[in-house]
Amino acid sequence: VSHRWAFVALLACACGGADGERDGRPDILLISVDTLRADHLGCYGYERDTSPALDGLAAEGVLFTTATSSTSWTLPAHASMFTGLPQSVHGLDRTTRVLADERATLAESLQRAGYHTLGAWSGPYLHPHFGLAQGFDDWVSCVGYDIAGEGQLHGKDRSAHRSSHEDITSPRLLAQVERWMNARDERPLFLFVHMWDVHYDFLPPAPYDSMFDPDYNGPIDGRDLSNLATALPPRDLEHLIALYDGEIRWTDHHIGAMLELVGEEAIVVVTSDHGEEFFEHGHFGHRRTLYEESIRVPLIIRAPGMAHAGRRAADLASVMDVAPTLLELAGASPLPETMGRSLVPAWTSSALDPVPLMSELYLRKAYTLALRTPGHKLILGEERELFDLQQDPGELRPLGAEAAPPLTTEAHAALLAELQRLARQHELPGAADAELPAQIDAELRKLGYIDDED
Ligand SMILES: [Zn+2]
C-alpha cells in the first residue's frame, strides 16, 4: 500500500554524523510567506500583477499547482513544514503546545550535514518558546514590538509598543538576509525567512496601499481586522482584498531583493502556512475552516541544475513535503520519521503517486479533518461534506449523503482509519504542554487567535 502513513513507522535512522564534504553544496533559502493564498499570485493565474518576483522564480523552477497546508493556522503549519508530520502526530494543535525536543527537524538534519542554519521570524508563533527553532544555529527575531523579552530589536524603525498586526517586518527581514550573506563562512547556508506582512492587518506602505484600488473612498483602512465578524458590503470587501494584494506586492518586492542577495545558484523554496478567508464561507481570516481559501498555498521550488525551469506540476503537494524535498536536494539525511515525501520525482520521473492530502484543525475542542484527492475533498467535522472540486471549486455545493466518498481504494481507507485513530488520542505524541508566556499570550489575543475556549 503506497500512502503517506507507510512512512510513519519509526524507521531506524541510518544516517551518519557530521558530513565533512561541504564543497559544492548549494545554499538554500526557504521563505514562508504567512497567510499567502496561491490564487492571489500571477504565476497561479491571478489577474492582478501582485507577484513579479515570484512569477520570475516560478519561471526558473517548478510550481506545484495544487499545494495544501496541513492546517489553517501558523503554529501547526510551520511544525509540519519543519518535521514533515501532520498536526495529529507533531501535536501542536493548540497554543499551549510546544514542539518536543525529540522531534527531528529539517534544520537539524541540514545542520548535521554541514549547513550553517539561520532563521529569521516575524510573527508571534515563531517565537522560540514554541520549539520551532530546533536545529537553527541562530534564530533571529524581526518583530518590531516587545514580545517575551525580545524587545531589543534591530533598525531605527523600532517602536516598542506597536503590536504584531500593525507590524511591518519585510525590510528588517531583508536586512537580516543581507547581514547573513555578508557574514558567511565556508559553510553552505540554510536560510529560513518567515514573512509576516501579508498577515492582517493589511497596511501596505505607499505606493502599495493604493496600487490596486486607488479610487476607493469608503471606511475600510485595513486595520482592526481580527474581529471582522460580519460580511462587508461588496465595495468594501473589494477594497479589503485590494489591500491584501498590496501587501503581497510589497512582500514580493522584498522577496525579489532576497533572491538577488542569495544569487542564482541557490535552491529557493517559497510557500505559505495557510491562506485567508474573505467571507467565501461566512468568515474573514484563518484558523476557522479547512476550505480551499484557508489551506491552499503556493509552492515554488527552484533547484538550479536539478529541476526543470518553468515546469508546472499538477501532483498533489503538501507543506509536509517541503522538508523531505529539501533534504534530498541537499544530499542530507532524510528525517527518520515523516509523512511528507520528497517531491523530486515530480520532475525527475513522470509523476508522483496521487496520495490524498490531509489537513486538520482543532478548535474549541472540536476536531476537523479534510482529505483531498485530485478531484474531490472530504471534510469531516461537525458535518460531513464532500465536494467535487472540478464542478465546484468554491466548495459551495456539498454532494448529497448518498454520494460515495472518493475513499474507495485501500490506501485511502487506511489513511482515514489511521487519522481517526490518531484524532481520538487525548495525549498526542510528540508535543509537550507548556504555559504560554504572558506577552505571547497578549499578542495572540490581539490577533484574535486566542479566546478563553482555546
Ligand atoms: Zn500564519
Side-chain angles (χ1 to χ4, degrees), residues 165-439:
H165 45 173
E166 293 176 356
D167 202 15
I168 294 171
T169 64
S170 293
R172 285 185 217 117
L173 292 162
L174 176 59
Q176 185 59 50
V177 170
E178 187 165 20
R179 275 193 288 276
W180 283 333
M181 294 307 295
N182 289 338
R184 69 173 308 162
D185 55 27
E186 76 284 357
R187 288 173 288 181
L189 294 174
F190 168 52
L191 309 182
F192 168 74
V193 178
H194 167 247
M195 303 191 76
W196 177 253
D197 290 339
V198 175
H199 191 289
Y200 58 76
D201 292 350
F202 303 144
L203 305 172
Y208 306 95
D209 55 344
S210 59
M211 184 173 271
F212 297 117
D213 191 12
D215 302 326
Y216 177 77
N217 291 311
I220 294 297
D221 62 1
R223 292 177 191 276
D224 299 323
L225 299 178
S226 56
N227 294 314
L228 193 59
T230 50
L232 295 170
R235 185 66 186 90
D236 292 340
L237 180 59
E238 203 177 287
H239 189 64
L240 185 68
I241 292 171
L243 291 173
Y244 175 73
D245 291 341
E247 291 275 35
I248 294 173
R249 178 67 182 258
W250 154 257
T251 300
D252 180 86
H253 168 76
H254 290 83
I255 291 173
M258 288 178 196
L259 296 177
E260 296 263 321
L261 285 170
V262 300
E264 353 183 277
E265 299 302 315
I267 293 172
V268 178
V269 173
V270 178
T271 188
S272 178
D273 55 348
H274 52 77
E276 189 81 314
E277 294 183 63
F278 289 99
F279 299 105
E280 292 89 342
H281 291 89
H283 306 285
F284 169 77
H286 47 271
R287 201 189 177 188
R288 296 179 187 278
T289 72
L290 294 174
Y291 296 112
E292 292 291 273
E293 59 270 19
S294 282
I295 59 171
R296 191 88 171 262
V297 293
L299 179 59
I300 302 168
I301 300 174
R302 185 190 74 181
M306 292 184 272
H308 303 292
R311 181 159 183 150
R312 296 176 71 85
D315 309 86
L316 298 179
S318 167
V319 294
M320 289 190 283
D321 302 332
V322 167
T325 305
L326 279 176
L327 291 172
E328 180 172 353
L329 290 171
S333 302
L335 296 170
E337 50 169 334
T338 178
M339 288 167 53
R341 57 183 178 170
S342 171
L343 298 172
V344 168
W347 62 82
T348 56
S349 59
S350 53
L352 289 156
D353 290 337
V355 299
L357 296 171
M358 70 181 118
S359 305
E360 302 169 278
L361 182 63
Y362 180 83
L363 187 62
R364 298 190 184 114
K365 300 182 171 58
Y367 174 80
T368 304
L369 165 69
L371 291 176
R372 191 203 200 286
T373 65
H376 289 80
K377 187 155 143 200
L378 178 66
I379 299 176
L380 298 169
E382 281 177 24
E383 298 171 69
R384 171 193 177 281
E385 294 179 299
L386 176 64
F387 298 100
D388 180 339
L389 295 175
Q390 311 296 329
Q391 302 296 322
D392 179 26
E395 297 164 295
L396 298 171
R397 301 187 303 276
L399 301 173
E402 71 285 356
L407 302 174
T408 49
T409 70
E410 193 181 338
H412 292 189
L415 173 66
L416 187 59
E418 183 66 6
L419 276 167
Q420 287 174 331
R421 188 186 69 75
L422 283 169
R424 281 195 298 270
Q425 292 181 350
H426 293 294
E427 283 306 311
L428 295 167
D433 282 307
E435 196 171 330
L436 205 54
Q439 286 114 315

Side-chain angles (χ1 to χ4, degrees), residues 14-147:
C15 50
D19 187 337
E21 179 57 58
R22 291 168 188 168
D23 289 344
R25 291 286 182 88
D27 290 336
I28 298 172
L29 171 63
L30 170 60
I31 298 177
S32 172
V33 183
D34 208 294
T35 322
L36 180 58
R37 287 174 62 138
D39 62 355
H40 280 244
L41 299 177
C43 49
Y44 280 86
Y46 198 45
E47 64 270 15
R48 284 180 174 151
D49 188 14
T50 51
S51 54
L54 288 175
D55 299 351
L57 185 73
E60 298 171 0
V62 181
L63 177 150
F64 285 83
T65 59
T66 308
T68 290
S69 183
S70 61
T71 183
S72 56
W73 61 293
T74 311
L75 177 60
H78 282 95
S80 293
M81 199 185 295
F82 288 175
T83 64
L85 295 170
Q87 175 183 292
S88 290
V89 180
H90 65 56
L92 276 72
D93 64 346
R94 65 201 84 179
T95 54
T96 51
R97 303 278 192 171
V98 301
L99 190 67
D101 279 345
E102 300 76 35
R103 284 293 172 212
T105 67
L106 169 64
E108 286 170 335
S109 195
L110 289 171
Q111 193 178 48
R112 275 198 305 276
Y115 274 81
H116 194 194
T117 55
L118 302 163
W121 58 277
S122 58
Y125 281 122
L126 279 290
H127 188 280
H129 163 78
F130 293 105
L132 298 173
Q134 291 178 37
F136 284 93
D137 296 318
D138 203 1
W139 187 250
V140 178
S141 167
C142 288
V143 302
Y145 48 93
D146 202 8
I147 179 167

